[in-house]
Amino acid sequence: MSHVVMFSGGITSYATAKRTIAQHGGQGVTLLFCDTTIEHPDTYRFISEASAHLGVPLVTLRDGRSPREVFRDRRMLGNSRIAPCSTELKQKPARRWMEENAPDAAVVLGIDWTEEHRLPGARAGWEPWRVEAPLTEPPYRTKDELLDDLEREGIARPALYRMGFSHNNCGGGCPRAGLAQWSHLYRTDPAWFGWWEETEEYMRDYLRADVAMLRDRRGGDTQPLTLRSVREQLERQPALFANEEWGGCGCFVSEEPRL
């Protein structure tokens, strides 16, 4: 059976590819990368070096739209519950490619042992393909250990990890990100935070609605919390939100309805 690793550019998808090759051999293993067009420049360096080091082909799919364009086309701003950018830029292109090129292959996901609870939803979403997640099985490794392994193999860890992010996706921004991640993005890359703020403001104007990717649950009432408001608060208190929730990331393990 051939294996297609959903290769996000993150360390767990790299380690997943390594373990898949160790278990089944490199013959028939493909890395599938879906480009959102807003990845950190160093992510492209990493996936290229990783593919060459592993000795397996890298297939890149590109819808061509940015998340901002997807939000406009779908007439909704992504949020922690629903991320149309994930559906349109990753899940749909990957599924079409699988149907056309690997109808009998196994889908391999970078879910590790800390996320095993997400596996049933991912398997349901990927039917009729068989889904494997080798990092949910022993030996169990932490992300830090996997990143140390990567550097011992002569590959520099992706820039977003060096900047303190827990994921190497979308330049550090994501509709599913929590307040801690957004505040960290503002502190480490304010220009990129600004792109997301502009995206949110564009959609608020386009939809003529009080929408936001974040929610403010302080005081007992839940209200939209815009990135503009987050920035303005951080300008006054730079350390604010550092201890809030980081949020999740997992475009290929979403428990959204099957496409």
Side-chain angles (χ1 to χ4, degrees):
M1 173 181 285
S2 58
H3 294 76
V4 178
V5 179
M6 297 298 147
F7 196 60
S8 68
I11 187 59
T12 53
S13 61
Y14 172 76
T16 292
K18 275 181 58 180
R19 195 168 291 189
T20 300
I21 293 167
Q23 292 174 347
H24 304 285
Q27 188 73 22
V29 174
T30 300
L31 309 180
L32 190 63
F33 174 70
C34 294
D35 188 358
T36 63
T37 76
I38 61 163
E39 304 297 337
H40 191 286
D42 188 65
T43 297
Y44 302 106
R45 183 275 309 171
F46 171 65
I47 64 172
S48 178
E49 288 187 13
S51 171
H53 180 75
L54 295 171
V56 295
L58 171 68
V59 174
T60 297
L61 305 179
R62 188 176 293 110
D63 174 277
R65 292 175 293 172
S66 70
R68 181 185 300 182
E69 293 167 315
V70 170
F71 297 158
R72 180 198 61 203
D73 293 346
R74 290 279 297 269
R75 297 190 60 82
M76 75 164 295
L77 178 66
N79 54 63
S80 61
R81 296 181 298 105
I82 302 175
C85 46
S86 172
T87 301
E88 298 294 331
L89 303 182
K90 292 200 172 188
Q91 295 171 4
K92 284 185 176 180
R95 194 175 188 96
R96 282 195 299 267
W97 188 91
M98 292 291 295
E99 290 169 347
E100 295 169 3
N101 299 278
D104 300 318
V107 171
V108 190
L109 302 178
I111 300 176
D112 69 11
W113 55 279
T114 68
E115 303 175 305
E116 193 169 2
H117 61 281
R118 306 178 77 177
L119 201 47
R123 284 181 166 144
W126 275 105
E127 288 181 350
W129 286 277
R130 171 184 169 85
V131 170
E132 298 180 6
L135 292 188
T136 62
E137 304 167 358
Y140 303 124
R141 309 295 304 284
T142 67
K143 277 189 176 181
D144 286 340
E145 290 171 332
L146 296 176
L147 287 165
D148 289 343
D149 291 345
L150 180 73
E151 293 190 322
R152 279 192 288 268
E153 293 166 22
I155 302 175
R157 66 178 63 198
L160 288 177
Y161 291 122
R162 299 196 301 270
M163 292 164 63
F165 289 91
S166 58
H167 302 287
N168 186 37
N169 308 101
C170 297
C174 177
R176 290 194 172 103
L179 265 172
Q181 182 170 332
W182 282 115
S183 63
H184 187 70
L185 180 61
Y186 176 76
R187 286 187 287 269
T188 57
D189 193 345
W192 190 232
F193 180 98
W195 184 90
W196 282 98
E197 181 183 336
E198 290 172 6
T199 293
E200 187 175 73
E201 290 300 315
Y202 170 83
M203 288 302 300
R204 287 169 61 83
D205 290 340
Y206 183 70
L207 298 173
R208 298 182 181 180
D210 183 18
V211 294
M213 288 183 280
L214 291 166
R215 294 288 180 271
D216 187 349
R217 296 179 173 84
R218 293 171 294 182
D221 292 328
T222 300
Q223 302 290 336
L225 176 60
T226 66
L227 293 181
R228 173 179 289 182
S229 175
V230 170
R231 173 179 55 79
E232 291 171 347
Q233 293 180 67
L234 288 170
E235 288 172 347
R236 296 190 297 270
Q237 302 180 65
L240 194 63
F241 306 132
N243 296 320
E244 298 289 341
E245 183 183 2
W246 270 76
C249 178
C251 289
F252 289 117
V253 297
S254 167
E255 296 182 10
E256 294 172 11
R258 181 178 159 190
L259 303 173

